Amino acid sequence: MLHFNLNRCQHLKKITQKCLSSIQVKMDKHIQRILLRTFALAELRKSWHSTHSLAGDKNIVLMGPPGAGKTTIGRIIGQKLDCCVIDVDDDILEKTWNMSVSEKLQDVGNEQFLEEEGKAVLNFSVSGSVISLTGSNPMHDATMWHLKKNGIIVYLDVPLIDIINRLKSMKIDRIVGQNSGTSVKELLQVRRQYYKKWYDTRVFCESKASPEEVADEVLNAVKRYQDVDSETFISTRHTWPKDCEQKVSTKFFSEAVIEGLASDGGLFVPEKELPKLSCGEWKRLVGATYIERAQVLLERCIHPADIPAARLGEMIETAYGENFACSKIAPVRHLSGNQFILELFHGPTGSFKDLSLQLMPHLFAHCIPPSCNYMILVATSGDTGSAVLHGFSGLNNSDKQRIAVATFFPENGVSDFQKAQIIGSQKENGQAIGVKSDFDFCQTAVKRIFKDSDFTGFLTVEYGTTLSSANSINWGRLLPQVIYHASAYLDLVSQGFISFGSPVDVCIPTGNFGNILAAVYAKMMGIPIRKFICASNQNHVLTDFIKTGHYDLRERQLAQTFSPAIDILKSSNLERHLHLMANGDGQLMTKLFNQLEYQHHFQIEKMLVEKLQQDFVADWCSEEDCLAAINSTHNTSGYILDPHTAVAKVVADRIQDKTCPVIVSSTAHYSKFAPAIMQALKIKEMNQTSLGQLYLLSSYNALPPPHGALLKRTKQLEKVEYQVCDADVNVLKSHVETLIQNQFMKAF
Ligand SMILES: *Cc1c(COP(=O)(O)O)cnc(C)c1O
């Protein structure tokens, strides 16, 4: 990925270019003189290095609502950096107009005011300074483009309530753009959209933070923004070179997302821990929406050089704006006693995979080089296929012309309903292909296609197309999952079940270890999770491992269960957690996972087992217990658990000590597993069609309500066409090639 390194280097070169350019002020002569004098003095005093190391010749531009403290904070920063401070109100507007801002506003009215304000700012350029904007500057596009060219726009995101209180005490009762009839609060909410459009970096101010504290946060934010080579990723199998001169092969976020798997077979993990939010920052998120929580958290974890914060914010809005049946996206529901259900199934395909796959394609599309086509290959036996197809169909039109999906599923190895769902999720840039074999064949065939360098080379040369996988080990899929764990905790706080800081346990039906690992990351960011309860079904290799430290696949056969998404033997994300537990010992990871591959088992040492067991407990649930739990929960509370959720509930009932709340991840909607539910609820009409079963279950008026999107898709099914192919890798390859031709090589 030379492309990206070069990109970063150029970026870096640009910002480190020493150019203390002279100040060009193209303004009214009078003001020009005043400013020039101010600058001249400032220049004399300026210790070049202090600003150079922080923002170079760029300006630090403070943006935010009236009352955010832009002027005060600007002055403090100016002092700290020993650089020039410009307050747009005082130093530009009033001097240009020769009257106060409020006089001008009365003179010309709102709209004219914005224009004249814009004109005044456009007429002036500085560098290496701190600029405090007016609250309304961001509503003038040309102004903001002008400032952005040579500045870092810092958004002072102050809590609304603080702003309102400050405005009250400043006796400001009317602000620019406010018409009679709108309240200050409403106006500030509208303004927010403008701020969100322009910022390069945000300071998420705690309630009642002092100007000094905010100024320090601004400096930190600018420092992070400028430090484009920080926040890198390494492979879990990475060993640190003994020779310090040797270059360490680290990756940026974008590269980790594109490549998915590291070249040494390991998984990408952040080189440093994930950022921790302060208690005050978390508390501000208690009253926030899911989208706002996601924006604040992901912005911290994705460097703006990979995805600019404002762009990231748009992606998050697209992903979680309208695609979920519940406006809370991932609501928490009190079940009984100290148990809460985190409902992760309100997305378009009814499983928790939607939570990451509605966002990940947007991250992916942003990260890939603009001139390449990408074909995502997926082998699926369950929830992934439809979630991937649906997620990638949410891209904008130009991205859909260069990113497409091919999903292979076992023609006779999935339930009617699953098949219906997979083929029903086909969209213009995605196809589902039934393979006349089992899931293992599909998976092995897809892996062989990836490894076939003749074929992949041919696709690159002939069609400018790269193959990619979007599977559950991709960092771009793991990261969005952190949000719902944090969000669930915040919801318990906002609903008054706990106060911020008190512990909770989480209990998660676990397969590839992605969901539960995301909870570990949420804890790393500051959510006080006490125990991670890992729940398995009959395929309980993880339970045994957590209890003994021995991961042993010998003599283990995969059993088919009512909870197929956790029928798993090799739990891939476990490697990331072990890497964390072993303090980043890549050598150990290489050893362990090579042993797993060649000897089919490994044992970790006692110290490491104990460390793992400090946070993790595990147990497994039999098929009978699973059905019994669905039945008894329905009887006692009218709530239907899907079989995966039931597995977790059984384990939580058995091993959670009830001294704190436990949040049980509900990873799928029960509609997806109607036959198991009918059996559990002892409903006799077993020989119905999937649709018939769904309708019958819907008529029970149980909670949660039936999944509308699933019902709709199943109903449309008879009309949907899909392709079926023979169990032969070459046949699969030719399907891939045809698909590439159809998707990317259309004559325009
Ligand atoms: C994928 C899936 C799981 C397993 O999640 P991991 O992150 O792989 O542990 C559990 N339940 C359902 C319904 C799933 O689709």
Side-chain angles (χ1 to χ4, degrees), residues 219-236:
L219 295 179
N220 286 338
V222 171
K223 206 185 223 157
R224 174 181 183 229
Y225 182 83
Q226 293 288 77
D227 195 357
V228 293
D229 284 333
S230 61
E231 301 180 27
T232 46
F233 291 75
I234 50 164
S235 164
T236 45

Side-chain angles (χ1 to χ4, degrees), residues 350-353 382-384 472 477-478 481 484 508-517 542 563-566 568 571 573 642 644-645 666-669 672-673:
S351 89
F352 90 98
K353 301 210 168 37
D383 300 320
T384 306
S472 74
R477 273 188 60 180
L478 197 50
Q481 300 185 165
Y484 58 72
I508 297 173
T510 298
N512 257 330
F513 219 78
N515 196 359
I516 203 163
L517 182 63
L542 279 172
S563 44
I566 56 171
I568 209 150
S571 181
N573 275 305
D642 104 288
H644 303 82
T645 316
S666 179
T667 49
H669 193 281
K672 297 187 82 156
F673 301 96

Side-chain angles (χ1 to χ4, degrees), residues 286-303:
V286 169
T289 63
Y290 193 87
I291 289 182
E292 288 163 345
R293 289 170 183 167
Q295 285 171 339
V296 169
L297 296 180
L298 293 184
E299 211 162 89
R300 293 289 173 91
C301 299
I302 300 174
H303 195 281

